[in-house]
Amino acid sequence: MADHYFTAAPASAAEQRELIVQVGGRDVAVVTASGVFSPDHVDTGTRVLLDHVPDPSPGEFLDLGCGWGPIVLDAGIRGAAAGTDLRLWAVDVNERARSLTAANAVALGLGSVHAVEPGAVPSDVRFSTIWSNPPIRVGKAVLHDMLSTWLPRLAHGGSAYLVVAKKLGADSLLKWLIEEGGDEFPARRVANAKGFRVLRVDRSA
Ligand SMILES: C[S@@+](CC[C@H](N)C(=O)[O-])C[C@H]1O[C@@H](n2cnc3c(N)ncnc32)[C@H](O)[C@@H]1O
């Protein structure tokens, strides 16, 4: 069976490729590989997210479902430029994705990125910022479970930004987030571009 991008250990050979991509407002060289999400370019949804998020707040930052790392690299470059004290976490179930993210972070001088499997983030870590292009294709139940695991780990006053294609159910996901989050985790749409919605979830201060 062909690998999905969310396979834990892709069976296909890791055909690596070097790309020049724009992240954090700079053109940088990164390494990607087959068996991970969007290996040939920064995905359009990811680009929409990065174009609509404010700079990350100081503290712990999470890239939920990091792939080869464009989101956490963008956050790290922006944080370094602004002198923001960030501790960068990137989680993915795909081990090839984690290795690429870690290598790309080191190559860009962002050595402090912890690219780990989801269960390896210490349970007391609370995030001031979460950015994610979440894996919609895993199915609604898994996606809801994933968001129910990570959004409650926002610090008080923290914010999560998620990008979801309208045709893949962004509006119904927002409805679910509003219902589930209630007053403590208010959710709303903050941008709409190129067929994608950017959704924001805050944790009350
Ligand atoms: C849509 S891709 C986005 C990848 C990358 N952030 C980007 O923007 O190119 C979603 C990622 O979530 C990962 N993923 C799937 N299930 C996951 C889970 N339960 N926990 C963490 N990551 C997961 C997939 O392996 C995939 O790399």
Side-chain angles (χ1 to χ4, degrees):
M1 195 173 88
D3 291 337
H4 289 290
Y5 63 78
F6 47 87
T7 301
S12 60
E15 289 161 25
Q16 293 208 339
R17 52 202 93 165
E18 190 167 304
L19 308 180
I20 304 295
V21 295
Q22 197 182 66
V23 286
R26 282 172 41 195
D27 287 335
V28 298
V30 294
V31 177
T32 74
S34 52
V36 302
F37 178 77
S38 194
D40 295 317
H41 59 279
V42 175
D43 171 68
T44 305
T46 300
R47 175 64 65 207
V48 167
L49 175 74
L50 297 177
D51 284 347
H52 289 91
V53 282
D55 285 351
S57 305
E60 313 278 348
F61 172 92
L62 175 66
D63 175 354
L64 177 55
C66 60
W68 54 261
I71 292 176
V72 73
L73 299 177
D74 187 280
I77 291 171
R78 285 206 224 178
T84 308
D85 181 20
L86 291 177
R87 279 168 302 285
L88 299 166
W89 296 90
V91 301
D92 206 295
V93 290
N94 180 329
E95 66 180 17
R96 188 174 295 170
R98 297 193 299 270
S99 316
L100 289 164
T101 293
N104 285 327
V106 170
L108 292 176
L110 308 170
S112 64
V113 174
H114 304 288
V116 296
E117 53 187 318
V121 179
S123 58
D124 59 347
V125 172
R126 293 291 173 272
F127 302 100
S128 51
T129 308
I130 299 175
W131 292 352
S132 183
N133 179 351
I136 303 301
R137 293 185 192 279
V138 294
K140 202 191 270 189
V142 176
L143 175 67
H144 287 181
D145 190 48
M146 187 176 163
L147 295 174
S148 298
T149 299
W150 291 99
L151 293 176
R153 296 186 63 177
L154 276 172
H156 288 281
S159 300
Y161 291 84
L162 315 172
V163 67
V164 182
K166 180 171 168 9
K167 69 175 186 210
L168 292 182
D171 295 338
S172 67
L173 181 66
L174 177 59
K175 189 163 172 277
W176 178 82
L177 288 167
I178 290 170
E179 282 165 10
E180 290 294 307
D183 292 341
E184 193 179 0
F185 294 92
R188 63 197 158 101
R189 189 175 89 194
V190 291
N192 183 23
K194 298 180 182 168
F196 290 86
R197 312 280 209 218
V198 178
L199 310 179
R200 172 174 170 169
V201 181
D202 293 322
R203 182 167 200 177
S204 54

